[in-house]
Amino acid sequence: MMVTPTVVFDLDGTLVDSAPDLVATLNIVFARIGLPPVAYDAARNMVGGGARAMIVRGLKAEGRTLDVAEVDRLVSDFIDHYSVHIADRSRPFPGLEATLDALAARGCRFAVCTNKLEWLAVRLLDALALSQRFAAGTSAAHDRPRRR
């Protein structure tokens, strides 16, 4: 019996250049608390590890620290804004779709492994018309955050 190979990809920075929307969101959240925008090239290097890490890195670059409750509020604001603007400028990397097509023609199936909140990952893949390429199904339940 032949096993179908599964290729697992990271999402942000591998499948999709999501930095433009992440950086824009960081700067919008910072503007709300009176901080200047972080230069795109510097902020792009802050991407990775989630919204909290990006915010903390941005604050550090501005020589600022905030208490945990304030950072929590910024993270919540970040996610709220980002969820609405998740694919304003984010795009699959050039050649991605052709590469996926070539691998699919060889019998591969695909999955995504990401630290992005699941509902945001699904929303991004949906917005970029990439969801159907991956083995995991999507549903309306993924369209909103799960509150506990």
Side-chain angles (χ1 to χ4, degrees):
M1 174 180 266
M2 179 119 172
V3 177
T4 302
T6 301
V7 181
V8 181
F9 296 93
D10 184 28
L11 180 57
D12 298 293
T14 301
L15 293 174
V16 176
D17 182 6
S18 53
D21 291 318
L22 291 166
V23 170
T25 299
L26 177 69
N27 285 328
I28 285 168
V29 169
F30 275 14
R32 291 177 183 164
I33 62 168
L35 288 176
V38 180
Y40 181 81
D41 288 339
R44 185 177 182 91
N45 290 325
M46 296 173 188
V47 173
R52 179 176 302 278
M54 187 175 187
I55 289 166
V56 169
R57 290 177 192 132
L59 290 169
K60 184 177 179 182
E62 293 297 322
R64 300 274 307 265
T65 58
L66 299 175
D67 67 37
V68 172
E70 290 175 292
V71 172
D72 287 346
R73 184 178 52 79
L74 290 179
V75 170
S76 180
D77 288 350
F78 185 102
I79 292 169
D80 288 345
H81 182 273
Y82 180 64
S83 69
V84 175
H85 300 277
I86 199 162
D88 287 354
R89 292 181 282 168
S90 295
R91 297 292 177 264
F93 280 105
L96 171 71
E97 294 183 78
T99 299
L100 293 176
D101 289 343
L103 289 170
R106 293 182 180 172
C108 295
R109 65 183 185 161
F110 312 113
V112 172
C113 182
T114 180
N115 70 330
K116 186 184 283 301
L117 294 169
E118 179 186 9
W119 67 275
L120 287 175
V122 170
R123 185 175 284 184
L124 178 58
L125 290 170
D126 285 347
L128 298 176
L130 293 172
S131 295
Q132 71 281 2
R133 293 178 172 272
F134 295 90
T138 61
S139 71
H142 292 292
D143 196 36
R144 346 176 236 300
R146 295 182 190 138
R147 305 276 181 194
R148 293 179 194 215

